[in-house]
Amino acid sequence: MATRHLYAVRHGAADSFGRLTDAGQRQSELLGERLAGLPVDAVWHSPLPRAVRCAQIVGEYLPGVAVREAAELLDHVPYVPDEMPPAWAGFFDGYDAAQAAEGAVIADSLTDRFARPAETETHEVLITHAYPVAWLVRHALDAPPVRWLGLDCGNTALTAIEYRDGLAPTMLLYNDMSHLPAELRWTGFGPGALP
Ligand SMILES: O=C(O)[C@@H](CO)OP(=O)(O)O
């Protein structure tokens, strides 16, 4: 098996209808410029419109690279703890067992497909959502499942993970926004002081 280089990204900033905002479009362009410096083999995106559009924009900076949908990148809640941390009880309120099972299936399909070495060395961009990125990071660190809840990421922030044969995954970058100017960083978070 050969190394898979994964670049996991939350799509650009979107409005309440799920469409990229002007800021989200610009973030996507800047992400495309950054990724153009890498030997990208494929761009995979979630079926949801905000991820589709972000991937289309990124693809404009990567001539000849296939941009395709992957159902595994759909937004989902990857894991619902049996023992709920009190601070998260409101978040999961009304979330039933069937929905939890559905999310777990997608989460497993995500790691089964992408979080492993590849047949030949490959560099793949995944344009997805905050929770799937958190789940990939949690998985790479072999952290307890509940720890996905402590991971958040910004729009078009870059998370890079390498999967080498016979080794634990290597986290190279998490939530890196260095391709974005200050005014386009830290979108996708709740209100509060930012570093
Ligand atoms: O709603 C959110 O907070 C996240 C969940 O993954 O979705 P998105 O990244 O599409 O904003």
Side-chain angles (χ1 to χ4, degrees):
M1 296 296 279
T3 302
R4 185 192 304 273
H5 306 260
L6 216 59
Y7 307 99
V9 177
R10 183 183 185 184
H11 56 80
D15 63 21
S16 53
F17 299 102
R19 297 174 302 217
L20 289 195
T21 61
D22 289 347
Q25 296 244 9
R26 185 68 191 131
Q27 289 169 328
S28 304
E29 292 165 1
L30 291 166
L31 174 66
E33 275 178 22
R34 178 170 185 176
L35 293 173
L38 296 171
V40 174
D41 297 298
V43 176
W44 299 100
H45 60 80
S46 149
L48 298 183
R50 51 197 184 276
V52 175
R53 183 67 193 124
C54 180
Q56 285 168 344
I57 294 169
V58 166
E60 288 166 14
Y61 292 82
L62 305 171
V65 175
V67 177
R68 296 201 196 100
E69 181 175 310
E72 296 87 348
L73 298 174
L74 184 65
D75 200 14
H76 63 282
V77 169
Y79 175 79
V80 179
D82 292 332
E83 285 184 32
M84 192 63 64
W88 286 100
F91 177 79
F92 291 107
D93 196 26
Y95 207 77
D96 65 28
Q99 288 170 301
E102 211 172 289
V105 168
I106 302 174
D108 283 347
S109 72
L110 173 65
T111 50
D112 283 352
R113 176 163 180 187
F114 290 110
R116 57 176 65 247
E119 291 294 324
T120 56
E121 185 159 6
T122 180
H123 295 252
E124 289 164 294
V125 177
L126 310 184
I127 311 275
T128 181
H129 307 269
Y131 300 168
V133 174
W135 189 247
L136 285 167
V137 172
R138 194 284 317 161
H139 175 271
L141 298 176
D142 201 19
V146 70
R147 293 304 304 272
W148 79 271
L149 285 166
L151 295 161
D152 205 355
C153 68
N155 294 113
T156 69
L158 198 58
T159 290
I161 310 173
E162 284 176 358
Y163 300 90
R164 296 180 184 275
D165 206 14
L167 288 175
T170 303
M171 288 281 324
L172 296 181
L173 279 179
Y174 172 57
N175 214 11
D176 183 83
M177 304 177 204
S178 57
H179 49 289
L180 302 176
E183 67 275 15
L184 290 179
R185 294 181 186 176
W186 299 107
T187 67
F189 293 85
L194 296 168

